[in-house]
Every structure is written in structure tokens, then in C-alpha cells.
Amino acid sequence: MLVLAGTPIGDVADAPPRLAQELAAADVVAAEDTRRLRRLTQALGVEPGGRVVSYFEGNEAARTGELADALEGGARVVLVTDAGMPSVSDPGYRLVAAAVERGVRVTAVPGPSAVLTALAVSGLPVDRFCFEGFLPRKSGERLARLREVAADRRTLVYFEAPHRIDDTLAAMAEVFGADRRAAVCRELTKTYEEVRRGPLAELARWAAERVRGEITVVVEGAPAPAPQDLAPEELVRRVAAREAAGERRKEAIAAVAVEAGLPKREVFDAVVAAKHGKV
């Protein structure tokens, strides 16, 4: 069995009770950082029951096969990362995929999550959200990724490094709009926890003063577009342009409907009418 074990994102007292039990019962503990694991087990008052191996970005591809073999042979492998849930912007996905492919059971010890914690304290809508992980480091790629979700009406959640947060917030203000609301959540559950809320432009100016610690950014989704008074011919033209660019008709109709602030049915009817020469 593969056990994905969530670990505290800051306060060790947040560790789920099952975490200590699983660490003690494991045949193998795969840890992103074995030194941090040692500090965690000391704080929990537990000794790993089996051997401890490192499993991090640098050796994840090479070690996955070894761990998958152990799982297939009947071992109980517990996977932990430095903080939060394994495989969520952390090592783990490859091992989960390998375990599933070999018919090995995969379960989890739910634990603290920076994504959900930041969402909960952000003050922004949480009924629909999208986790985008880390943005690309290069400016052009970062802007392109942001433009992909600029019209997304869901709340967006990102992880970011402290030395890039000012550039990231400035790019968000440029793409999403200076007044789009956001929350920068820093050092969640730790001694110097801070949640800074405000428009993106204001947050970018604040971050320019140098921000430290682990950061999660929550950004308000795009506002619903005001309905546009577009002629059926224009709707058909926009759908055709998207189809020519490679989108399927269904997706093109849905996208044009969002752009125009219209029901999908209205755009669909215009396309059908055009097909029969009625537009």
C-alpha cells in the first residue's frame, strides 16, 4: 500500500494523529528531505518503523521504479514531503501513477493544505476555484500563462517564491487588471503569519519592499462580462475564427458565449441559422 501522508505546513501541532501511526508502521518512508523528516518525527515522538529513503525532485524519476517494486512486493510505503500533501506541487505524482498502473492500493492521511487554508482566510469567493501551482520563472512565459486564465471567473490560487512575488503580482496586475482583488498569504500557521489583502496593484507595490517566507496568492476571478449587443453575423464570425484556430465547435461556441456575456444557446442558434443560410 502507498500512503500519501500530509504534514504540517507550519505548526507541528496541526499534524494529524494518524501521521505518527503511519510513520511507525511503514516498511519504507520516502521523504522529500530526510533531515526535515527527522525533525518532524522528533517533534511527534515517533521513530520510523522501516528504512528511510530520500524522494525529491532530483531523484524522483530514478527512485520511482525502486519504490514501485517495493510496493508490488507487499511493502507499506509512506510518502511525505516538506509540508502539505504529497504530489500537490511536490514529489509524488510519478509514484502514485506507477502504483495505480501496477494495481497497488493508494490511500492518504489527510493533513494541512496551504491551498485550502489560503482560500479560507482570503475573504474571496471559495465556491469555485482553480489551483494553478507555480507560474513559470521567465517573464514572457509567466504573462502567457496568466493570459490563459484572465477571463476565468473562478478564484485562482498560486504558490510563489519570495524573491519572485513582486514580479508576479506586477504581472497579475498587468494581465488581470490593477483593481482585481487578491490576498497574499505568507507563512501560514507559523509565528509570523500574515495575510495581506487588496487590489493587485497595491499588493505589487507592497511586495516590492521585499517579502519573506512561503507564499500562497489567492486572486479573485474575472467579473462576469456585461452582455454585448452583437449581431448574429458577428457571433458566427467569432465562432468560425476559433474553429479555424483549432477549437472544436462546441468549445468555440462556449467561449464566444462567455466573451459576449450571452447564453450558449443564443450563440448556438446563430451558428445553426448560418449553416442553413438564415444569417
Side-chain angles (χ1 to χ4, degrees), residues 136-202:
R137 297 180 182 183
K138 294 183 178 179
S139 176
E141 295 175 4
R142 181 167 56 234
L143 288 170
R145 183 75 61 81
L146 290 171
R147 290 186 184 110
E148 290 177 3
V149 295
D152 198 320
R153 294 172 62 185
R154 296 173 294 179
T155 298
L156 304 170
V157 185
Y158 296 87
F159 287 160
E160 192 49 280
H163 61 280
R164 290 196 300 269
I165 185 61
D166 54 343
D167 289 339
T168 291
L169 289 170
M172 288 178 171
E174 177 183 340
V175 175
F176 297 155
D179 294 330
R180 181 87 69 92
R181 294 187 301 162
V184 178
C185 306
R186 188 180 70 84
E187 295 288 87
L188 287 170
T189 78
K190 298 178 182 177
T191 302
Y192 297 105
E193 175 181 283
E194 179 181 18
V195 179
R196 179 76 60 144
R197 306 174 182 88
L200 281 168
E202 178 184 306

Side-chain angles (χ1 to χ4, degrees), residues 235-236 238-240 242-243 247-260 262-272:
L235 297 175
V236 172
R238 292 190 181 192
V239 170
R242 285 181 169 274
E243 286 188 274
E247 287 189 20
R248 293 184 303 173
R249 177 165 295 181
K250 182 178 180 180
E251 295 169 346
I253 289 173
V256 170
V258 170
E259 287 176 358
L262 298 171
K264 284 190 289 186
R265 185 72 198 184
E266 187 170 334
V267 181
F268 174 79
D269 288 345
V271 172
V272 172

Side-chain angles (χ1 to χ4, degrees), residues 38-256:
R38 191 177 303 114
R39 291 196 292 270
L40 176 62
T41 55
Q42 289 173 348
L44 296 176
V46 64
E47 283 289 332
R51 65 189 179 97
V52 175
V53 300
S54 63
Y55 189 71
F56 60 99
E57 186 178 0
N59 72 355
E60 185 178 3
R63 181 146 280 172
T64 293
E66 172 192 331
L67 292 172
D69 288 343
L71 286 164
E72 199 168 24
R76 189 180 188 89
V77 176
V78 175
L79 176 61
V80 294
T81 53
D82 292 346
M85 182 59 63
S87 83
V88 180
S89 284
D90 273 331
Y93 168 75
R94 286 188 177 92
L95 185 55
V96 173
V100 170
E101 185 177 343
R102 299 192 189 201
V104 174
R105 183 183 171 196
V106 180
T107 188
V109 177
S113 163
V115 175
L116 297 180
T117 303
L119 271 168
V121 303
S122 69
L124 298 171
V126 298
D127 53 333
R128 297 178 66 219
F129 68 90
C130 177
F131 175 56
E132 286 286 306
F134 284 94
L135 286 164
R137 297 180 182 183
K138 294 183 178 179
S139 176
E141 295 175 4
R142 181 167 56 234
L143 288 170
R145 183 75 61 81
L146 290 171
R147 290 186 184 110
E148 290 177 3
V149 295
D152 198 320
R153 294 172 62 185
R154 296 173 294 179
T155 298
L156 304 170
V157 185
Y158 296 87
F159 287 160
E160 192 49 280
H163 61 280
R164 290 196 300 269
I165 185 61
D166 54 343
D167 289 339
T168 291
L169 289 170
M172 288 178 171
E174 177 183 340
V175 175
F176 297 155
D179 294 330
R180 181 87 69 92
R181 294 187 301 162
V184 178
C185 306
R186 188 180 70 84
E187 295 288 87
L188 287 170
T189 78
K190 298 178 182 177
T191 302
Y192 297 105
E193 175 181 283
E194 179 181 18
V195 179
R196 179 76 60 144
R197 306 174 182 88
L200 281 168
E202 178 184 306
L203 291 173
R205 288 192 294 271
W206 163 75
E209 299 175 4
R210 195 175 181 188
V211 178
R212 298 172 181 268
E214 296 183 352
I215 296 170
T216 305
V217 181
V218 185
V219 184
E220 182 180 31
Q228 297 180 36
D229 186 17
L230 298 177
E233 293 86 353
E234 175 60 15
L235 297 175
V236 172
R237 186 195 67 76
R238 292 190 181 192
V239 170
R242 285 181 169 274
E243 286 188 274
E247 287 189 20
R248 293 184 303 173
R249 177 165 295 181
K250 182 178 180 180
E251 295 169 346
I253 289 173
V256 170

